[in-house]
Amino acid sequence: MLSRRQLLATAFAAAGGLHPRLAGAIDPIKRPGTKPDLKLSLAAYSFNKLLDLKKPSMDLFEFIDLAAGLPLDAVELTSYYWAETTDAYAERLKAHAAKKKLAISGVPVGNNFCVADETKYRAEIQKVKDWTARAAKVGAKTVRIFAGNLEKGDTLEAVQKRVVAAIEECCAVAEKYGVVLAMENHGGITATPDQLLALVKPVKSAALGVNIDTGNFKTADPYADLTKIAPYGVVSQVKTEVFPGGKREEADLARVVKILKDANFHGYVALEYEAKDDPKVAVPKYVKELRRLISG
């Protein structure tokens, strides 16, 4: 009889893009065969100004329509742009994406597990749990989560313990829904590969992996650091810029894709455009370039 872990891992593999690991998150993900499997998605955050609910000029349904005209496999529906959190709204989003022949690769959540205040900390955990359920409702494979920033007067050791405890609690819910939580390298206490993995490695759950954000390391050699976390990746956000030593420069997308392929990456690669040009002009160009690199 299969254990709960084996059943969960098998379900993730069947869901498409995510594959079972032989141990907990402390080990790099065990991927089948030697051929990488990259599927191309587009993050709604690429149209942040247009989708901002304070003054929107585009909604998620229109975003899906735009994405349907590009060579994409999926869309990522950032939680910040959901006009409603009802089941009916989630079902409409799922149906609309399916009608446009697009999967929903993930649902990012803007959480902060570093907060010291107990009431706020519990609220942040509940937020991730709630969005995990919504992600499952739309058929998303991952929920992209964050750690947060060290608060004044706190210690890194204490914060790391709180974050790990929060991840473990949320993973129990993710396992229930067959969703994978993807911890992003997003500055703060995940500014380096070692800091990120210090939060991921202690958690023994098949429902946890890393979101490889290719533009978020501001270290001396971001490409080398991406290589370090790539074996733990379950999803990736590809940015068109990198910041070696904090200095902005155009990303070498061919090098980024090679890092993922060399790690035998299996999963969704989501373009997340944050540069200065009009996303309606820039996004199609970069989607086509990534499609070429992924297919090559």
Side-chain angles (χ1 to χ4, degrees):
M1 181 178 293
L2 292 176
S3 68
R4 177 176 173 79
R5 176 182 297 281
Q6 289 169 320
L7 286 168
L8 182 63
T10 301
F12 290 160
L18 301 176
H19 294 268
R21 66 192 78 192
L22 300 183
I26 193 169
D27 294 323
I29 296 169
K30 306 297 182 182
R31 312 188 197 274
T34 58
K35 186 177 180 180
D37 182 15
L38 280 63
K39 295 179 173 65
L40 187 56
S41 184
L42 177 62
Y45 195 81
S46 300
F47 297 88
N48 178 48
K49 290 183 180 179
L50 302 178
L51 288 164
D52 189 338
L53 291 177
K54 292 178 182 178
K55 194 177 180 181
S57 56
M58 175 190 288
D59 63 24
L60 284 176
F61 298 95
E62 293 168 320
F63 165 68
I64 291 169
D65 290 341
L66 184 152
L70 300 173
L72 292 162
D73 301 304
V75 287
E76 183 189 70
L77 302 183
T78 314
S79 63
Y80 321 150
Y81 314 124
W82 287 47
E84 302 174 21
T85 56
T86 62
D87 286 352
Y89 183 80
E91 289 165 1
R92 284 175 55 212
L93 285 174
K94 182 179 181 179
H96 194 69
K99 181 180 178 181
K100 298 295 182 176
K101 301 188 186 311
L102 290 168
I104 297 175
S105 61
V107 177
V109 182
N111 68 290
N112 180 4
F113 287 156
C114 285
V115 290
D117 181 89
E118 181 65 19
T119 300
K120 293 179 180 178
Y121 175 69
R122 297 306 314 171
E124 292 296 305
I125 291 173
Q126 190 60 49
K127 181 195 298 183
V128 172
K129 290 179 179 180
D130 291 344
W131 278 104
T132 298
R134 292 183 192 113
K137 182 69 70 173
V138 295
K141 309 300 185 292
T142 57
V143 170
R144 183 156 56 97
I145 62 172
F146 304 93
N149 298 301
L150 189 67
E151 294 183 341
K152 185 177 180 180
D154 217 333
T155 67
L156 180 60
E157 182 180 8
V159 167
Q160 287 175 328
K161 288 181 180 179
R162 284 205 303 276
V163 173
V164 169
I167 295 171
E168 289 176 334
E169 188 172 333
C170 292
C171 276
V173 174
E175 289 180 12
K176 173 185 173 183
Y177 286 106
V179 172
V180 175
L181 303 182
M183 173 61 71
E184 179 173 316
N185 55 307
H186 193 78
I189 66 167
T190 59
T192 69
D194 287 344
Q195 288 177 332
L196 175 68
L197 296 178
L199 303 176
V200 174
K201 286 185 174 183
V203 181
K204 305 297 192 298
S205 173
L208 178 67
V210 165
N211 173 56
I212 308 161
D213 191 305
T214 68
N216 277 356
F217 281 134
K218 297 184 179 179
T219 50
D221 189 349
Y223 295 103
D225 288 340
L226 291 171
T227 301
K228 291 178 184 177
I229 67 171
Y232 300 86
V234 291
V235 69
S236 178
Q237 304 299 116
V238 173
K239 304 269 180 67
T240 62
E241 297 172 322
V242 290
F243 298 84
K247 184 179 179 181
R248 182 191 306 267
E249 63 181 46
E250 187 77 7
D252 184 342
L253 294 181
R255 187 174 179 184
V256 167
V257 171
K258 185 177 186 301
I259 288 170
L260 295 173
K261 288 184 175 181
D262 286 348
N264 194 24
F265 182 84
H266 284 62
Y268 285 103
V269 176
L271 170 65
E272 188 171 53
Y273 183 75
E274 294 184 352
K276 63 180 181 179
D277 293 337
D278 180 353
K280 288 189 175 181
V281 176
V283 164
K285 178 182 72 172
Y286 283 111
V287 165
K288 291 173 185 176
E289 182 177 356
L290 282 171
R291 172 57 72 193
R292 178 182 62 82
L293 292 170
I294 286 171
S295 301

